[in-house]
Amino acid sequence: MANIELITPDTPREPIYQFLVEQMHLHYRRPLDSEHNKYFLQLAEHYSPDKRSSFYVLYENGEVVGTGCISPLEAHHRRPPHCVDESLWGYISRVYISPKAQSSGYGRQIYKVLEARAKEFGYTHLC
């Protein structure tokens, strides 16, 4: 059984950290011990509703098998040239599904949660 949970300061971080480091290595060939990966230990601080952002984890039988986040586009460097009012744009990122859980519909489930949260934050466009 799969469930999607919002990361909070009380969420156990180590399983999420390990999952993200593995995904970064798998997708970008970034070293598993990269200094950049330490950012993953502070996800609840970086993604919080008061910052119009949220980070979600998808668990299957207690194991992390997916992630995804929504944040303001204005907080990122890559912006579409046609983006006039950045406050209306949300940025979806860190969407990963474990290779063993791919083709399960979990990616679609995460996107639905992220899109609903984007509406709550007042985003009318997503990037």
Side-chain angles (χ1 to χ4, degrees), residues 3-48:
N3 63 310
I4 299 173
E5 296 180 10
L6 174 67
I7 287 182
T8 69
D10 298 328
T11 302
R13 298 171 192 210
E14 189 61 29
I16 301 164
Y17 172 80
Q18 290 300 324
F19 177 79
L20 288 170
V21 169
E22 289 169 9
Q23 294 305 306
M24 296 302 287
H25 180 68
L26 179 68
H27 294 283
Y28 305 109
R29 302 291 182 234
R30 187 171 288 153
L32 293 175
D33 59 350
S34 169
E35 279 294 310
H36 180 77
N37 293 336
K38 290 183 179 180
Y39 165 84
F40 297 143
L41 292 171
Q42 300 157 345
L43 294 172
E45 292 82 8
H46 291 293
Y47 298 96
S48 64

Side-chain angles (χ1 to χ4, degrees), residues 98-118:
S98 169
K100 66 182 178 184
Q102 290 177 358
S103 299
S104 61
Y106 290 161
R108 190 171 24 260
Q109 289 178 17
I110 288 177
Y111 268 97
K112 284 183 181 181
V113 169
L114 295 173
E115 289 172 346
R117 190 61 159 183

Side-chain angles (χ1 to χ4, degrees), residues 41-114:
L41 292 171
Q42 300 157 345
L43 294 172
E45 292 82 8
H46 291 293
Y47 298 96
S48 64
D50 62 324
K51 296 179 182 177
R52 295 177 70 208
S53 63
S54 295
F55 195 103
Y56 291 91
V57 179
L58 188 141
Y59 296 95
E60 182 181 62
N61 300 320
E63 180 184 349
V64 176
V65 295
T67 59
C69 68
I70 180 80
S71 57
L73 178 63
E74 59 199 3
H76 299 276
H77 295 80
R78 297 182 196 123
R79 298 181 188 121
H82 60 278
C83 175
V84 178
D85 185 352
E86 294 175 354
S87 68
L88 298 177
W89 284 74
Y91 184 77
I92 291 179
S93 61
R94 307 271 184 237
V95 177
Y96 300 112
I97 302 297
S98 169
K100 66 182 178 184
Q102 290 177 358
S103 299
S104 61
Y106 290 161
R108 190 171 24 260
Q109 289 178 17
I110 288 177
Y111 268 97
K112 284 183 181 181
V113 169
L114 295 173

